[in-house]
Amino acid sequence: MPERKEIIIKDDAYSLAGTGADLVVSAALESVQQTGRFTLAVSGGSTPRAMHRSLGRKPCLSQIPWPGVHIFWVDERCVPGYDPASNYGRARHDFLNRIPVKEDQIHPMPVDLPPEEGAEKYQDEISSIFKIGGHDFPDFDLIFLGLGLDGHVASLFPGQKVLAEKEKWVAAVKGGDPDVSRLTLTLPVLNEAHRIVFLVSGKDKAPAVKTVLEGDEENLPAQMIQPRTGRLIWLLDREAASMLSWTTQTG
Ligand code: 6PG
């Protein structure tokens, strides 16, 4: 499969967030024009928060065709929305309360059920929006992923059996920091996306970025992100890209 990897390096976290928000605007306008809707899946953690805040402010606020937007999560910790560890809770605070969408356009993962049930329920919710049976995989228009220090993405952690999941769209797992039960989209769903953007910032992520992009082994979850037909964009700030060789940086 041809390497369809694009690497964009920004000076700092502020311009990284702005470029990420611009990618949402352009993908949303293109998707809504082509299909009448824009399906976005966001990650949790701290990196995407500045970008999320940009989505809830001008100019993004007036550029995105909100009536066609559906927002999903890549993963969620099974904690209440008011818990600081809740990805949905943080997104609600950072931008969901500011964007002009109806509640049925926002699709938080169901954390109030036993995790296995929650995973099945979320697959049903995704299916109701994508209107496809269980045998295909939903093709999100844009998925944002973070990168863990250990090379994890979403809640897909190294060595976990969920990495071999070939049928389920959503899985119940446990691990990470905080080490709690989680729901996560699976690799077949992530790799079905039209656009996947890794958003990575900070010096502490430089070793993981180098290992994932230049390492010999291919066993880290982040290295298993290989979109079947979509675009793969690594959006890095200089610190996160600081250990990459020049050839990788220049593509
Ligand atoms: C989660 C995230 C997770 C995150 C990475 C990076 O729920 O924890 O989805 O995959 O993207 O751990 O997190 P930071 O952005 O906080 O470094």
Short mmCIF file of all heavy atoms in Angstrom, two decimals, residues 91-121:
data_model
loop_
_atom_site.label_atom_id
_atom_site.label_comp_id
_atom_site.label_asym_id
_atom_site.label_seq_id
_atom_site.Cartn_x
_atom_site.Cartn_y
_atom_site.Cartn_z
N ALA A 91 -14.85 18.29 26.38
CA ALA A 91 -15.26 18.85 25.09
C ALA A 91 -16.49 19.74 25.26
O ALA A 91 -16.62 20.79 24.62
CB ALA A 91 -15.56 17.72 24.10
N ARG A 92 -17.38 19.33 26.16
CA ARG A 92 -18.58 20.13 26.44
C ARG A 92 -18.15 21.52 26.91
O ARG A 92 -18.63 22.54 26.44
CB ARG A 92 -19.42 19.39 27.48
CG ARG A 92 -20.65 20.03 28.05
CD ARG A 92 -21.72 20.39 27.07
NE ARG A 92 -22.42 19.27 26.45
CZ ARG A 92 -23.26 19.46 25.43
NH1 ARG A 92 -23.45 20.67 24.93
NH2 ARG A 92 -23.90 18.45 24.88
N HIS A 93 -17.16 21.53 27.81
CA HIS A 93 -16.66 22.80 28.36
C HIS A 93 -15.89 23.59 27.31
O HIS A 93 -16.04 24.80 27.21
CB HIS A 93 -15.74 22.47 29.55
CG HIS A 93 -15.06 23.67 30.14
ND1 HIS A 93 -13.81 24.10 29.72
CD2 HIS A 93 -15.45 24.56 31.10
CE1 HIS A 93 -13.46 25.19 30.40
NE2 HIS A 93 -14.44 25.48 31.24
N ASP A 94 -15.10 22.89 26.49
CA ASP A 94 -14.20 23.58 25.56
C ASP A 94 -14.89 24.13 24.33
O ASP A 94 -14.49 25.17 23.80
CB ASP A 94 -13.06 22.63 25.12
CG ASP A 94 -12.11 22.31 26.28
OD1 ASP A 94 -12.14 23.05 27.29
OD2 ASP A 94 -11.39 21.32 26.18
N PHE A 95 -15.94 23.41 23.79
CA PHE A 95 -16.57 23.98 22.59
C PHE A 95 -18.02 23.56 22.38
O PHE A 95 -18.79 24.30 21.76
CB PHE A 95 -15.75 23.67 21.33
CG PHE A 95 -15.81 22.24 20.82
CD1 PHE A 95 -16.44 21.95 19.61
CD2 PHE A 95 -15.23 21.19 21.51
CE1 PHE A 95 -16.48 20.65 19.12
CE2 PHE A 95 -15.26 19.89 21.02
CZ PHE A 95 -15.89 19.62 19.83
N LEU A 96 -18.41 22.41 22.89
CA LEU A 96 -19.77 21.95 22.55
C LEU A 96 -20.84 22.94 23.02
O LEU A 96 -21.89 23.09 22.39
CB LEU A 96 -20.04 20.57 23.15
CG LEU A 96 -19.17 19.43 22.64
CD1 LEU A 96 -19.52 18.13 23.35
CD2 LEU A 96 -19.27 19.26 21.13
N ASN A 97 -20.60 23.60 24.14
CA ASN A 97 -21.60 24.55 24.65
C ASN A 97 -21.68 25.81 23.80
O ASN A 97 -22.58 26.63 24.01
CB ASN A 97 -21.27 24.94 26.10
CG ASN A 97 -21.54 23.80 27.07
OD1 ASN A 97 -22.38 22.94 26.78
ND2 ASN A 97 -20.82 23.77 28.17
N ARG A 98 -20.72 25.97 22.86
CA ARG A 98 -20.69 27.23 22.10
C ARG A 98 -21.09 27.06 20.65
O ARG A 98 -21.23 28.04 19.92
CB ARG A 98 -19.26 27.81 22.15
CG ARG A 98 -18.79 28.20 23.53
CD ARG A 98 -17.41 28.87 23.46
NE ARG A 98 -16.95 29.23 24.80
CZ ARG A 98 -16.39 28.36 25.63
NH1 ARG A 98 -16.23 27.11 25.23
NH2 ARG A 98 -16.01 28.71 26.84
N ILE A 99 -21.25 25.83 20.18
CA ILE A 99 -21.52 25.64 18.74
C ILE A 99 -23.02 25.42 18.54
O ILE A 99 -23.70 24.81 19.36
CB ILE A 99 -20.71 24.44 18.19
CG1 ILE A 99 -21.03 23.14 18.91
CG2 ILE A 99 -19.21 24.75 18.26
CD1 ILE A 99 -20.32 21.92 18.33
N PRO A 100 -23.53 25.92 17.40
CA PRO A 100 -24.99 25.87 17.15
C PRO A 100 -25.42 24.53 16.56
O PRO A 100 -25.70 24.42 15.35
CB PRO A 100 -25.20 27.01 16.15
CG PRO A 100 -23.92 27.09 15.39
CD PRO A 100 -22.83 26.68 16.35
N VAL A 101 -25.41 23.49 17.37
CA VAL A 101 -25.86 22.16 16.90
C VAL A 101 -26.96 21.66 17.83
O VAL A 101 -27.05 22.08 19.00
CB VAL A 101 -24.71 21.13 16.88
CG1 VAL A 101 -23.63 21.52 15.87
CG2 VAL A 101 -24.11 20.96 18.28
N LYS A 102 -27.77 20.74 17.30
CA LYS A 102 -28.81 20.13 18.14
C LYS A 102 -28.20 18.95 18.91
O LYS A 102 -27.16 18.41 18.52
CB LYS A 102 -29.97 19.63 17.26
CG LYS A 102 -30.65 20.72 16.44
CD LYS A 102 -31.98 20.29 15.84
CE LYS A 102 -31.86 19.12 14.90
NZ LYS A 102 -31.09 19.42 13.67
N GLU A 103 -28.83 18.58 20.00
CA GLU A 103 -28.28 17.51 20.83
C GLU A 103 -28.13 16.20 20.04
O GLU A 103 -27.22 15.41 20.31
CB GLU A 103 -29.16 17.29 22.07
CG GLU A 103 -28.87 18.30 23.20
CD GLU A 103 -27.38 18.43 23.54
OE1 GLU A 103 -26.75 17.41 23.87
OE2 GLU A 103 -26.84 19.55 23.41
N ASP A 104 -28.99 15.99 19.03
CA ASP A 104 -28.88 14.71 18.29
C ASP A 104 -27.75 14.74 17.27
O ASP A 104 -27.56 13.79 16.50
CB ASP A 104 -30.22 14.34 17.63
CG ASP A 104 -30.63 15.35 16.55
OD1 ASP A 104 -29.87 16.31 16.29
OD2 ASP A 104 -31.72 15.18 15.98
N GLN A 105 -26.98 15.85 17.27
CA GLN A 105 -25.77 15.88 16.44
C GLN A 105 -24.51 15.57 17.25
O GLN A 105 -23.41 15.49 16.69
CB GLN A 105 -25.61 17.27 15.80
CG GLN A 105 -26.67 17.62 14.78
CD GLN A 105 -26.54 19.05 14.30
OE1 GLN A 105 -27.29 19.94 14.72
NE2 GLN A 105 -25.56 19.31 13.47
N ILE A 106 -24.68 15.44 18.55
CA ILE A 106 -23.54 15.17 19.43
C ILE A 106 -23.71 13.76 19.99
O ILE A 106 -24.78 13.43 20.55
CB ILE A 106 -23.48 16.19 20.59
CG1 ILE A 106 -23.33 17.62 20.03
CG2 ILE A 106 -22.31 15.88 21.52
CD1 ILE A 106 -23.37 18.71 21.09
N HIS A 107 -22.69 12.92 19.82
CA HIS A 107 -22.83 11.49 20.12
C HIS A 107 -21.78 11.04 21.14
O HIS A 107 -20.78 10.41 20.78
CB HIS A 107 -22.70 10.67 18.84
CG HIS A 107 -23.62 11.13 17.75
ND1 HIS A 107 -24.95 10.75 17.70
CD2 HIS A 107 -23.43 11.99 16.72
CE1 HIS A 107 -25.53 11.32 16.66
NE2 HIS A 107 -24.64 12.09 16.05
N PRO A 108 -22.00 11.37 22.41
CA PRO A 108 -21.06 10.90 23.44
C PRO A 108 -21.14 9.39 23.61
O PRO A 108 -22.19 8.80 23.35
CB PRO A 108 -21.51 11.62 24.71
CG PRO A 108 -22.95 11.96 24.46
CD PRO A 108 -23.08 12.18 23.00
N MET A 109 -20.05 8.78 24.00
CA MET A 109 -20.08 7.34 24.23
C MET A 109 -20.87 7.07 25.51
O MET A 109 -20.73 7.80 26.50
CB MET A 109 -18.65 6.80 24.34
CG MET A 109 -17.92 6.78 23.00
SD MET A 109 -16.27 6.05 23.13
CE MET A 109 -15.96 5.52 21.44
N PRO A 110 -21.69 6.01 25.53
CA PRO A 110 -22.53 5.75 26.71
C PRO A 110 -21.73 5.12 27.85
O PRO A 110 -21.40 3.94 27.82
CB PRO A 110 -23.59 4.77 26.17
CG PRO A 110 -22.96 4.11 25.00
CD PRO A 110 -21.96 5.06 24.43
N VAL A 111 -21.37 5.92 28.82
CA VAL A 111 -20.51 5.45 29.93
C VAL A 111 -21.32 5.00 31.14
O VAL A 111 -20.75 4.56 32.14
CB VAL A 111 -19.53 6.55 30.34
CG1 VAL A 111 -18.58 6.88 29.21
CG2 VAL A 111 -20.28 7.82 30.78
N ASP A 112 -22.65 5.10 31.01
CA ASP A 112 -23.49 4.75 32.17
C ASP A 112 -23.96 3.29 32.10
O ASP A 112 -24.79 2.86 32.89
CB ASP A 112 -24.70 5.69 32.23
CG ASP A 112 -25.42 5.75 30.87
OD1 ASP A 112 -24.84 5.21 29.89
OD2 ASP A 112 -26.51 6.31 30.80
N LEU A 113 -23.46 2.55 31.14
CA LEU A 113 -23.84 1.13 31.00
C LEU A 113 -22.62 0.26 31.33
O LEU A 113 -21.49 0.74 31.29
CB LEU A 113 -24.27 0.84 29.56
CG LEU A 113 -25.53 1.52 29.04
CD1 LEU A 113 -25.66 1.29 27.53
CD2 LEU A 113 -26.75 0.98 29.78
N PRO A 114 -22.83 -1.04 31.57
CA PRO A 114 -21.66 -1.93 31.63
C PRO A 114 -20.88 -1.79 30.31
O PRO A 114 -21.50 -1.75 29.24
CB PRO A 114 -22.29 -3.32 31.77
CG PRO A 114 -23.66 -3.05 32.37
CD PRO A 114 -24.11 -1.74 31.81
N PRO A 115 -19.56 -1.68 30.36
CA PRO A 115 -18.78 -1.32 29.16
C PRO A 115 -19.10 -2.13 27.90
O PRO A 115 -19.23 -1.56 26.82
CB PRO A 115 -17.33 -1.53 29.62
CG PRO A 115 -17.38 -1.22 31.09
CD PRO A 115 -18.70 -1.76 31.56
N GLU A 116 -19.26 -3.45 28.05
CA GLU A 116 -19.55 -4.25 26.84
C GLU A 116 -20.88 -3.81 26.21
O GLU A 116 -21.01 -3.69 24.99
CB GLU A 116 -19.62 -5.74 27.20
CG GLU A 116 -18.30 -6.36 27.66
CD GLU A 116 -17.23 -6.39 26.56
OE1 GLU A 116 -17.62 -6.24 25.37
OE2 GLU A 116 -16.04 -6.54 26.89
N GLU A 117 -21.87 -3.52 27.08
CA GLU A 117 -23.16 -3.04 26.56
C GLU A 117 -23.01 -1.66 25.93
O GLU A 117 -23.58 -1.36 24.89
CB GLU A 117 -24.18 -2.95 27.72
CG GLU A 117 -24.94 -4.21 28.04
CD GLU A 117 -25.94 -3.96 29.18
OE1 GLU A 117 -26.77 -3.02 29.05
OE2 GLU A 117 -25.82 -4.68 30.19
N GLY A 118 -22.21 -0.83 26.57
CA GLY A 118 -21.98 0.52 26.04
C GLY A 118 -21.35 0.47 24.67
O GLY A 118 -21.72 1.24 23.78
N ALA A 119 -20.43 -0.47 24.49
CA ALA A 119 -19.76 -0.60 23.19
C ALA A 119 -20.77 -0.98 22.10
O ALA A 119 -20.78 -0.42 21.00
CB ALA A 119 -18.65 -1.65 23.28
N GLU A 120 -21.65 -1.93 22.43
CA GLU A 120 -22.67 -2.34 21.45
C GLU A 120 -23.64 -1.20 21.15
O GLU A 120 -24.00 -0.94 20.00
CB GLU A 120 -23.44 -3.56 21.99
CG GLU A 120 -22.62 -4.85 21.99
CD GLU A 120 -23.32 -5.99 22.74
OE1 GLU A 120 -24.55 -5.85 23.00
OE2 GLU A 120 -22.64 -6.97 23.08
N LYS A 121 -24.00 -0.46 22.20
CA LYS A 121 -24.95 0.64 22.01
C LYS A 121 -24.34 1.73 21.12
O LYS A 121 -24.99 2.31 20.26
CB LYS A 121 -25.37 1.22 23.35
CG LYS A 121 -26.42 2.32 23.24
CD LYS A 121 -26.91 2.83 24.57
CE LYS A 121 -27.94 3.96 24.38
NZ LYS A 121 -28.24 4.65 25.66
#
